[in-house]
Amino acid sequence: MSSPPALSVYRHDTINRALLTLAGEIDLDSAPLVHASLERCLRNGIHAIDVDVTAVTFCDCSGLNAFLYALLHTTAAGKSLQLHHPSPALERLVTLTGSGSLFLALPDAFAGSRPPPWPSPIHQAAHRLPPAMTALPGGVL
């Protein structure tokens, strides 16, 4: 029996706008799905990408990183990306990192610049790390 995916992505397109609805958890394992879904919108000629994160129950820094990479790519292509209805936890993550305003308006500083490669070297290195050590009895590492 297989477990359900940690993240589901639903896409609805209009003429040149896409609504991506994400449901579930965005973490190191599911962030590449977020990235691929957003990149696919750009390859399909979408000009504005709206991401509904109402049903996102968890998002860590790798999820935020996927959104930021997508933002750089959309901005460099002269297009837009906006997050809608973030949970208080996701809103806090975006606010604590100072990236909240990036999703509200296109930063002119990135227009026409080449976005960094995906996956990033940090993302690749994280997947090569050995599993974390388990605690010994008594909670000592």
Side-chain angles (χ1 to χ4, degrees), residues 53-73:
V53 291
T54 304
V56 171
T57 56
F58 175 80
C59 183
D60 66 9
C61 59
S62 57
L64 178 62
N65 192 35
F67 288 130
L68 290 171
Y69 270 96
L71 179 67
L72 289 173
H73 283 259

Side-chain angles (χ1 to χ4, degrees), residues 2-70:
S2 64
S3 61
L7 180 71
S8 298
V9 179
Y10 305 95
R11 179 174 163 184
H12 177 75
D13 292 357
T14 58
I15 296 171
N16 61 359
R17 185 174 206 107
L19 170 63
L20 290 179
T21 302
L22 307 180
E25 298 181 357
I26 306 173
D27 57 16
L28 190 62
D29 292 328
S30 60
L33 176 60
V34 173
H35 174 77
S37 299
L38 293 167
E39 283 293 313
R40 193 172 304 118
C41 288
L42 290 176
R43 284 195 310 274
N44 294 152
I46 298 296
H47 291 241
I49 304 169
D50 295 299
V51 183
D52 183 352
V53 291
T54 304
V56 171
T57 56
F58 175 80
C59 183
D60 66 9
C61 59
S62 57
L64 178 62
N65 192 35
F67 288 130
L68 290 171
Y69 270 96

Side-chain angles (χ1 to χ4, degrees), residues 32-139:
L33 176 60
V34 173
H35 174 77
S37 299
L38 293 167
E39 283 293 313
R40 193 172 304 118
C41 288
L42 290 176
R43 284 195 310 274
N44 294 152
I46 298 296
H47 291 241
I49 304 169
D50 295 299
V51 183
D52 183 352
V53 291
T54 304
V56 171
T57 56
F58 175 80
C59 183
D60 66 9
C61 59
S62 57
L64 178 62
N65 192 35
F67 288 130
L68 290 171
Y69 270 96
L71 179 67
L72 289 173
H73 283 259
T74 55
T75 303
K79 300 178 176 29
S80 68
L81 170 72
Q82 191 167 25
L83 300 181
H84 297 277
H85 313 293
S87 68
L90 179 54
E91 191 171 342
R92 180 175 161 90
L93 177 63
V94 169
T95 301
L96 286 173
T97 60
S99 56
S101 63
L102 297 177
F103 294 105
L104 301 177
L106 293 175
D108 292 335
F110 295 125
S113 63
R114 186 179 198 108
W118 178 267
S120 70
I122 293 171
H123 185 282
Q124 291 172 354
H127 279 285
R128 289 191 300 265
L129 292 175
M133 294 176 50
T134 56
L136 298 173

